[in-house]
């Protein structure tokens, strides 16, 4: 309702056809999915967010894109939509090509959470892998297990996938260095 009020106000000012609108939010709360009530985990109910982009005059191939996206993609997307071009050397990518062509880049998304046991997640178009320092690993086949009920991390059939994603999740993760340094004290 409030988004509708905002769009109505933008239209009343005559700026609707000159305004890029992005609707998103912070990540959610687990509302008892997996028996959890907070957002301190990497299940989709806690880590997934909405992302809706309106750009006047943009001819899109599909009204709904299912490509992997992250909040770090907003700045490069806005830069390209606004005519400033691509931004190099940052973590995010512009989603403009995916929106216009319907061809999604093959990529993965990271998320991190730091408590007494730092965690890092890697998400691909099919898999989610979670590594928590000092705890069990998690591997989910999101194409066949959208509710993330079947942890495949210790199923030998998926050892090669777990190993590949585990290697990627460690790349550039500063928490591993911090834990290693703490053990040296």
């Amino acid at each position: 309702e409030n988004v509708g009020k905002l769009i109505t106000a933008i239209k009343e000012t005559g700026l609707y056809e000159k305004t890029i609108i992005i609707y998103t939010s912070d990540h959610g709360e687990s509302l008892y999915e997996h028996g959890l009530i907070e957002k301190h985990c990497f299940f989709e109910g806690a880590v997934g967010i909405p992302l809706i982009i309106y750009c006047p005059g943009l001819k899109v191939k599909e009204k709904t894109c299912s490509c992997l996206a992250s909040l770090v993609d907003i700045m490069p997307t806005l830069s390209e939509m606004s005519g400033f071009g691509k931004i190099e050397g940052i973590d995010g990518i512009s989603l403009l090509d995916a929106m216009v062509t319907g061809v999604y880049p093959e990529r993965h998304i990271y998320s991190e959470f730091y408590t007494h046991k730092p965690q890092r997640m890697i998400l691909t178009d099919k898999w989610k892998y979670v590594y928590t320092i000092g705890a069990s690993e998690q591997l989910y086949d999101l194409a066949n297990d959208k509710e993330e009920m079947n942890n495949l991390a210790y199923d030998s059939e998926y050892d090669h996938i777990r190993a590949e994603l585990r290697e990627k999740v460690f790349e550039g993760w500063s928490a591993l260095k911090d834990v290693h340094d703490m053990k040296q004290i």
Side-chain angles (χ1 to χ4, degrees):
E1 183 178 334
N2 287 329
V3 171
K5 288 178 184 178
L6 178 64
I7 290 172
T8 297
I10 293 170
K11 285 179 178 179
E12 287 172 357
T13 66
L15 295 175
Y16 184 70
E17 292 303 321
K18 298 177 184 176
T19 303
I20 296 170
I21 301 170
I22 297 179
Y23 175 84
T24 190
S25 73
D26 185 17
H27 53 95
E29 296 281 342
S30 294
L31 298 175
Y32 294 99
E33 297 102 348
H34 298 276
L36 302 171
I37 58 169
E38 294 183 0
K39 56 184 167 185
H40 304 132
C41 68
F42 289 118
F43 290 120
E44 281 303 295
V47 77
I49 62 167
L51 178 59
I52 301 170
I53 301 174
Y54 165 77
C55 183
L58 185 65
K59 303 288 186 228
V60 295
K61 182 163 182 132
E62 299 178 28
K63 297 217 182 262
T64 302
C65 283
S66 59
C67 68
L68 293 177
S70 175
L71 291 178
V72 297
D73 298 332
I74 291 175
M75 183 180 63
T77 302
L78 280 173
S79 177
E80 199 167 4
M81 285 178 165
S82 301
F84 292 104
K86 294 187 185 244
I87 301 173
E88 302 297 328
I90 60 172
D91 289 337
I93 65 168
S94 173
L95 301 172
L96 186 58
D97 287 343
M99 292 165 51
V100 171
T101 66
V103 177
Y104 312 128
E106 186 175 320
R107 70 187 296 207
H108 49 268
I109 302 291
Y110 291 102
S111 190
E112 298 177 4
F113 182 71
Y114 293 91
T115 60
H116 62 286
K117 291 186 177 184
Q119 303 175 318
R120 194 173 202 205
M121 174 200 77
I122 185 169
L123 177 66
T124 72
D125 59 346
K126 179 174 170 57
W127 300 100
K128 179 185 286 184
Y129 173 78
V130 178
Y131 184 85
T132 304
I133 294 175
S136 298
E137 297 171 79
Q138 298 172 57
L139 175 66
Y140 298 100
D141 176 351
L142 297 178
N144 297 305
D145 181 18
K146 294 190 185 315
E147 286 79 36
E148 299 167 281
M149 300 301 287
N150 189 17
N151 183 1
L152 302 171
Y154 300 100
D155 184 328
S156 61
E157 182 180 342
Y158 301 96
D159 281 350
H160 64 289
I161 293 167
R162 182 179 56 85
E164 177 186 329
L165 293 176
R166 187 176 206 250
E167 184 177 320
K168 284 182 180 178
V169 89
F170 286 171
E171 290 174 6
W173 190 20
S174 63
L176 292 178
K177 181 184 179 315
D178 295 343
V179 169
H180 181 277
D181 290 347
M182 288 173 63
K183 289 181 180 178
Q184 298 296 322
I185 297 174

